[in-house]
Amino acid sequence: MKNCTIVSAADGNYFWGLLLLTASIRRAKLQCPVHLLVRDLTDAQMASLQALGNVSIEEMDSSNCLNPCTWKASALMGATTEYITWMDADCLVIGDISELLMPRNGEFQIRVRGHQENAMTYHKLYAPGEKAGPLPASVLATWQQDVNEQLEPRLDTAIVTNCFVLHRQHLPFIKKWQQQMEKVMPPQDCGVVNQNQPAYFMTDESVFSSLISFAAAAPPISDFLLNQIPEKHVAHFGVRPKPWNGWAQPTWYAYDEVMETVDYALAHCPMLPELPPSLQRKHRLRSKMGANARQIIPRMKQFVRKIKP
C-alpha cells in the first residue's frame, strides 16, 4: 500500500523501538513509505533504520526539549501520501495489515476507550459519588473551557493515540492538535504522563481527546481495526519494561514475533549496534523468568500488606 505512510517519532532512548517497528513493517511485506522524526540518534542508528528501505528521517530541532510524545503532529506533517498511519515507537506490526489501513469514506480510524477501561484510566479523578466509566466531569469542564467551541462533548470516553489512521484531508485538525498542545501543556518535558495537570495527565492523548470532544471541526471517527485479528494486528508494548529493556507478562505473547523481527533486522542492517540482552534468543529463559517475576512480585507485596497486622 504505497499511498499510505507509516509515521513515528522518538529520541535515542527508543531507537530499538523504532528499529523493531520499521523492521516489522518490512517483514510484513508492507511497501509503504516510513517517515521518522528523531532526536539524539547516532549516524549508525539512522543508517540501520534507512537500510530497511524507503525510510525518510527528519531530525527534530535541537532547541526542542519537549517529550517525543508531543511530536506526533509535527511528524505526521512530514508525510506526503493520501493516507497516513501513526504508530508509537513501542508498536510492532504483526502480519499483513495493508487492507486495514483504509478508513471508510476518509474517516479517522482511531480507538475509543470503553467505559471500563476509561474508568481504570481516570479512577483518581472522579469526585465522591460520581459514576465511573464516562470521563470525569472536572476533566470535561476543563476541556470545554480550553477548546471553547462546543458546549456538549461528542464522546463520553477518551481516545487512544498510540496508533491511528487518517486521510490527509484531516491534517488541519492535526495542526490544531499541535497548537492546542502548545496552548495547554507546559513548555518543558513533563514525561508521557504528567500528574501535575489532571485534565491533561495523558499529555498528547488528553489534548487530542479534548478536541474530539469539543472542537467544532473534529473529524468523524470510524472503527479501529488494527487490534482485532491475532494474525494481522499492531501490537503495542504500552507497559514497562519495553522489550529492548526487559519483558513484561502482558507483552510476552509477542516474544517470537519480536525475535523473528530481530532476525530480519540483522539480515538487512549491516551497521546494527549490538543487541540488548533481552533481544537475544540465548536469554529467552531469563527474559521469561523476569516477565513472570514482574507479574508475581507486586501481587505478593499486595498480599503481604493485606495480612500484615
Side-chain angles (χ1 to χ4, degrees), residues 28 48 53 56 69 83 86 89 98 103 105 124 154 186-187 192 194 200 231 260 267 280 292 309:
S48 293
S56 60
C69 73
Y83 289 91
W86 170 267
S98 56
N105 301 321
K124 296 181 179 180
R154 289 185 182 84
V192 178
N194 178 17
Y200 297 105
E231 61 271 19
E260 290 175 19
Q280 298 179 30
N292 289 340

Side-chain angles (χ1 to χ4, degrees), residues 151-173:
L151 292 177
E152 298 297 326
R154 289 185 182 84
L155 301 174
D156 66 354
T157 63
I159 299 290
V160 181
T161 57
N162 56 49
C163 181
F164 54 84
V165 189
L166 67 146
H167 189 278
R168 66 179 304 103
Q169 68 180 310
H170 299 307
L171 285 179
F173 180 79

